[in-house]
């Protein structure tokens, strides 16, 4: 079992940057495929980005491509989401998750963090 916890959320102006972290406070991230998801008010939870267990392959959803970067540092037991050029529509609760499979469906991910709020103001 691995326990995940997000941090780094907060309030930022449109056009600004924010870096989210996802740390394994229990267990290890090593060997897991990892993903970031977000859920805005009144919306379904949606896929944002994923990174393969090896760190060599990433996938970014079109709405944030070119603005967000996903990375991992297994030696620090941490995954990151670097967010730049933030837009109001990026406002959501952001979740990190771990899976043994490789996909974008939330149902594929077996371990989840508690979420961190990101609010982007105009």
């Amino acid at each position: 079992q691995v326990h995940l916890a997000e941090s780094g959320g907060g309030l930022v102006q449109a056009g600004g940057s924010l870096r989210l972290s996802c740390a394994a406070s229990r267990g290890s991230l090593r060997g897991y495929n990892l993903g970031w998801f977000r859920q805005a008010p009144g919306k379904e939870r949606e896929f944002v980005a994923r990174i393969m267990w090896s760190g060599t392959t990433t996938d970014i959803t079109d709405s944030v491509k070119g603005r967000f970067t996903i990375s991992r540092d297994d030696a620090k037991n941490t995954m990151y989401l670097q967010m730049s050029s933030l837009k109001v529509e990026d406002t959501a609760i952001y979740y990190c998750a771990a899976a043994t499979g490789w996909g974008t469906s939330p149902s594929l991910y077996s371990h989840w963090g508690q979420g961190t709020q990101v609010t982007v103001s105009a």
Side-chain angles (χ1 to χ4, degrees), residues 1-60:
Q1 290 279 328
V2 60
H3 178 72
L4 307 177
E6 304 92 340
S7 63
L11 176 65
V12 64
Q13 289 188 336
S17 299
L18 206 60
R19 187 176 77 162
L20 305 183
S21 298
C22 173
S25 58
R26 187 182 70 185
S28 175
L29 296 181
R30 199 177 301 274
Y32 282 102
N33 301 314
L34 303 173
W36 286 98
F37 297 79
R38 67 185 183 185
Q39 189 163 17
K43 301 289 187 179
E44 296 289 316
R45 186 170 299 188
E46 67 171 347
F47 166 76
V48 177
R50 56 180 170 153
I51 185 167
M52 192 170 279
W53 66 270
S54 62
T56 59
T57 302
T58 63
D59 181 31
I60 313 293

Side-chain angles (χ1 to χ4, degrees), residues 31-103:
Y32 282 102
N33 301 314
L34 303 173
W36 286 98
F37 297 79
R38 67 185 183 185
Q39 189 163 17
K43 301 289 187 179
E44 296 289 316
R45 186 170 299 188
E46 67 171 347
F47 166 76
V48 177
R50 56 180 170 153
I51 185 167
M52 192 170 279
W53 66 270
S54 62
T56 59
T57 302
T58 63
D59 181 31
I60 313 293
T61 196
D62 285 344
S63 63
V64 304
K65 192 173 297 182
R67 300 187 296 117
F68 290 14
T69 301
I70 187 170
S71 62
R72 65 190 295 165
D73 187 343
D74 286 351
K76 296 181 178 178
N77 222 8
T78 305
M79 176 187 54
Y80 305 96
L81 184 68
Q82 178 66 54
M83 306 184 294
S84 301
S85 301
L86 282 162
K87 304 175 180 180
V88 171
E89 50 262 47
D90 294 320
T91 296
I93 301 174
Y94 283 72
Y95 300 88
C96 68
T100 56
W102 180 243

